Amino acid sequence: MKKRSQSKNNHSFFKSVFASIITLFIVFGSLVAIPNGYIILSTMSNIKLNVTTQKMNINKDKLQNIKNHKPQIAIVLGAGIVNNSKPSKILRDRLDIATHLYSNKIVNKILLTGDGRNENHDETQVMYNYMIKKKVPPGALQLDPYGISTYESMARASSIYKIKRPVIITQRYHLYRALYLGRRTGMKCIGVSSNQSRASKLYTIFTKRETIARIKDFITGIRKPNPQFTNYH
């Protein structure tokens, strides 16, 4: 009788543990799926162009479609530099698209936003130097050295630089979040995804961490805190 009762108790215990594990999986899955799903689904229609080749042979109709939205400026988000002298592959891809949009008269201004607080690792200055080498005139470039995160870049673009209708340029995995934050900070954004170097190691690393970043910025977008830095460069 005791053995039967003990066996029944053990069965109930394992059943309870199993139910708890399933509940945890459901809760964790919801915490991941809801923010990621919302951010992706709510911004998909705002992505107007997907560039996958270095040749930049972009269909003119697609360029015209971007121009029809009347973007007042292109925003290029920082993505790492090498030896404080050249952009990473994925940042170079973003800058090349911005150059292409400028040369085709889609935009006449480009905001380069990233971390430029340290002269030994000045992301925005490296971006600026690269664009100058690409024959983009200095008068068309604006630097935001306090864009230390995607949210800071978007919040500052809206509140400090008074941008209302940007075209945001970044990789597709990142573009959903940038568009979401741009909208939450009061801008009417469209996006161009720069996926020329999607086989690179850095692209893979950033793609993996993006799931967690979306959860964090989903909440940040609801809270909408003031930018950490309010300097106008």
Side-chain angles (χ1 to χ4, degrees):
M1 193 75 176
K2 278 187 178 182
K3 285 184 179 180
R4 187 179 297 177
S5 177
Q6 188 175 3
S7 176
K8 191 174 181 180
N9 288 338
N10 287 341
H11 178 74
S12 298
F13 172 75
F14 287 118
K15 189 176 179 181
S16 176
V17 169
F18 180 73
S20 297
I21 292 171
I22 294 298
T23 301
L24 283 173
F25 270 112
I26 292 171
V27 171
F28 179 76
S30 298
L31 288 174
V32 172
I34 291 172
N36 276 271
Y38 178 81
I39 287 174
I40 292 171
L41 293 174
S42 67
T43 58
M44 284 177 68
S45 63
N46 297 110
I47 300 176
K48 302 303 177 183
L49 182 62
N50 182 37
V51 180
T52 58
T53 174
Q54 301 285 355
K55 292 180 180 179
M56 294 289 165
N57 51 348
I58 301 171
N59 184 290
K60 288 185 177 180
D61 290 338
K62 290 184 178 180
L63 287 175
Q64 186 59 45
N65 183 32
I66 296 171
K67 193 171 184 177
N68 290 343
H69 284 79
K70 299 179 180 178
Q72 64 188 108
I73 196 169
I75 298 178
V76 181
L77 297 158
I81 55 177
V82 181
N83 298 325
N84 203 32
S85 61
K86 62 180 182 178
S88 65
K89 280 185 179 180
I90 61 175
L91 179 53
R92 183 195 63 204
D93 290 346
R94 300 176 189 185
L95 295 168
D96 286 345
I97 290 176
T99 302
H100 192 76
L101 294 184
Y102 178 82
S103 63
N104 282 274
K105 297 179 170 47
I106 307 302
V107 295
N108 54 26
K109 284 277 187 182
I110 302 169
L111 176 66
L112 307 173
T113 174
D115 191 348
R117 296 170 296 167
N118 186 341
E119 63 179 14
N120 296 316
H121 187 86
D122 192 335
E123 200 170 34
T124 47
Q125 187 62 50
V126 170
M127 294 163 77
Y128 176 85
N129 294 342
Y130 183 86
M131 297 299 272
I132 294 298
K133 288 179 182 177
K134 288 286 184 176
K135 309 301 182 187
V136 178
L141 300 171
Q142 192 163 21
L143 276 66
D144 177 12
Y146 298 101
I148 60 173
S149 69
T150 304
Y151 178 77
E152 287 289 317
S153 291
M154 294 296 100
R156 284 176 54 79
S158 177
S159 64
I160 307 297
Y161 295 94
K162 306 302 180 185
I163 295 170
K164 300 298 180 188
R165 300 181 67 87
V167 52
I168 300 170
I169 303 169
T170 183
Q171 279 67 31
R172 193 177 188 95
Y173 67 80
H174 182 216
L175 189 53
Y176 300 115
R177 180 162 57 97
L179 287 168
Y180 165 75
L181 292 173
R183 187 179 64 211
R184 292 297 301 168
T185 53
M187 297 186 289
K188 293 182 178 180
C189 310
I190 57 171
V192 174
S193 63
S194 52
N195 295 309
Q196 304 97 300
S197 298
R198 59 194 182 281
S200 71
K201 185 178 180 180
L202 196 58
Y203 188 101
T204 303
I205 292 169
F206 282 0
T207 299
K208 287 180 179 178
R209 79 177 193 182
E210 187 62 22
T211 300
I212 303 301
R214 288 192 199 117
I215 297 169
K216 170 182 163 289
D217 276 346
F218 176 75
I219 297 167
T220 304
I222 294 170
R223 289 175 51 241
K224 293 191 288 188
N226 292 327
Q228 185 177 341
F229 300 97
T230 55
N231 310 53
Y232 183 92
H233 186 69

